[in-house]
């Protein structure tokens, strides 16, 4: 595969004027935005999303795509790079950390994509036990299926990226998330949450919830939030025996969540709404945004300019900088 250096010319928007940042923030606060819809399709499937300052990364069943972001109009609809086909094994997870994108397929393969090693895909699990999710920090990778959790070490051999088997646990999860310090792993399945210490390879804590858990996200090394069917947002402090705080930001069912790294949380709902709330005020919310075409918000990614939402039939852009 040819190298595509222009894909990775990532320049952070560090020189934006203060007045511009303030204007965009006010647009967020008062719900002033323009909506654009991309890639509408009849077949129901979820597009997984990742985002950086210059590019939108997305999946379409078995296909991995990279789109150039535009300042006003969202993205160029022709992908810079497209790998795979929609009829390939479905991509079940897509994660970005630093300059690397990683994903897994139900067939049992894991792929990575970065500016040095390009695209690499390797079979790591028997396809009879489909891969449901992955996460990674540096060269430490975790993959999960319904029956087991496997730790991998990413190494290089003859210029190729290799996933070396490390350890495995005979417990499966629907989703997995590693905290920033790589000291704790959060696994979720059905109505329960589990904390794993990778060094000891032990499940150290567990928490039983009263309904289906949809999403989990670490806020820092000790605290995470999760969304569920019965309550939009709950915060758990793992230092205090799973001390829980509920956020009653509207009577919604949250299906997706994103975090601004400070105090802001935005989540998508079953009814096609995005709710922006402040972690310091658990009983209030700042703003509710409605999709022009109501649909379930399956995946959500945002930054100071744009909010991207995938539904079962399209990708929606809410542009706050126009």
């Amino acid at each position: 595969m040819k190298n595509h250096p222009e894909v990775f010319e990532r320049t952070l928007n560090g020189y934006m004027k203060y007045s511009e940042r303030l204007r965009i923030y006010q647009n967020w606060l008062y719900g002033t935005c323009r909506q654009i819809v991309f890639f509408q399709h009849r077949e129901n499937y979820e597009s997984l999303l990742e985002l950086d300052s210059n590019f939108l990364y997305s999946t379409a069943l078995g296909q991995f795509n990279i789109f150039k972001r535009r300042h006003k109009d969202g993205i160029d609809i022709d992908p810079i790079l497209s790998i795979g086909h929609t009829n390939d094994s479905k991509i079940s997870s897509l994660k970005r950390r630093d300059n690397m994108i990683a994903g897994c397929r139900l067939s049992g393969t894991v792929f990575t994509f970065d500016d040095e090693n390009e695209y690499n895909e390797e079979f790591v699990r028997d396809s009879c036990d489909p891969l449901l999710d992955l996460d990674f920090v540096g060269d430490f990778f975790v993959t999960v299926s319904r029956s087991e959790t496997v730790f991998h070490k990413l190494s290089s051999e003859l210029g190729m990226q290799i996933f070396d088997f490390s350890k495995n646990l005979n417990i499966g999860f629907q989703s997995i998330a590693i905290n920033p310090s790589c000291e704790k792993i959060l696994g979720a399945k059905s109505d329960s949450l589990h904390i794993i210490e990778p060094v000891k390879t032990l499940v150290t804590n567990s928490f039983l919830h009263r309904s289906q858990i949809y999403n989990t996200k670490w806020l820092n090394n000790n605290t995470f939030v999760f969304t569920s069917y019965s309550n939009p947002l709950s915060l758990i402090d793992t230092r205090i025996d799973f001390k829980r705080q509920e956020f009653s930001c509207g009577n919604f069912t949250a299906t997706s969540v994103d975090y601004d790294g400070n105090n802001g949380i935005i989540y998508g709902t079953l009814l096609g709404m995005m709710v922006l709330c402040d972690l310091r005020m658990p009983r209030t919310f700042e703003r509710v945004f409605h999709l022009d075409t109501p649909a379930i918000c399956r995946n959500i990614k945002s930054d100071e300019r744009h909010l991207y939402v995938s539904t079962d039939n399209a990708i929606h852009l809410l542009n706050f900088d126009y």
Side-chain angles (χ1 to χ4, degrees), residues 25 36 40-41 47-48 56 86-87 108 114-115 121 130 142 146 155 171 194 207 215 220 255 268 302 320:
Y25 170 76
I36 308 173
Q40 289 179 295
H41 50 84
S47 292
L48 305 177
L56 173 71
T86 56
N87 59 356
D114 62 28
D115 54 352
E121 186 164 344
V142 181
R146 290 185 180 90
S155 59
I171 179 173
H194 305 261
F207 171 76
N215 291 94
N220 51 49
T255 55
S302 65
F320 297 89

Side-chain angles (χ1 to χ4, degrees), residues 38-56:
F38 299 97
F39 314 124
Q40 289 179 295
H41 50 84
R42 293 182 179 180
E43 182 181 359
N44 283 351
Y45 64 83
E46 172 190 6
S47 292
L48 305 177
L49 304 176
E50 281 294 346
L51 192 66
D52 67 20
S53 58
N54 290 324
F55 301 97
L56 173 71

Side-chain angles (χ1 to χ4, degrees), residues 7-8 10 50-57 69 96 98-99 101 303 305:
V7 174
F8 295 96
R10 297 183 171 96
E50 281 294 346
L51 192 66
D52 67 20
S53 58
N54 290 324
F55 301 97
L56 173 71
Y57 308 87
R69 294 181 64 184
R96 181 180 74 87
D98 299 323
N99 289 329
I101 299 285
D303 61 10
R305 289 184 292 152

Side-chain angles (χ1 to χ4, degrees), residues 116-129:
E116 294 181 358
N117 298 296
E118 301 183 2
Y119 181 84
N120 177 67
E121 186 164 344
E122 184 181 351
F123 178 82
V124 299
R125 187 78 63 84
D126 189 336
S127 60
C128 293
D129 190 18

Side-chain angles (χ1 to χ4, degrees), residues 89 92 104-110 122-133 143-150 152 163 165 168:
S89 178
S92 53
C104 63
R105 299 178 183 272
L106 292 177
S107 61
T109 59
V110 172
E122 184 181 351
F123 178 82
V124 299
R125 187 78 63 84
D126 189 336
S127 60
C128 293
D129 190 18
L131 286 184
L132 301 180
D133 197 11
T143 61
V144 294
S145 66
R146 290 185 180 90
S147 64
E148 64 178 353
T149 300
V150 180
H152 306 269
F163 292 93
F165 172 81
N168 77 302

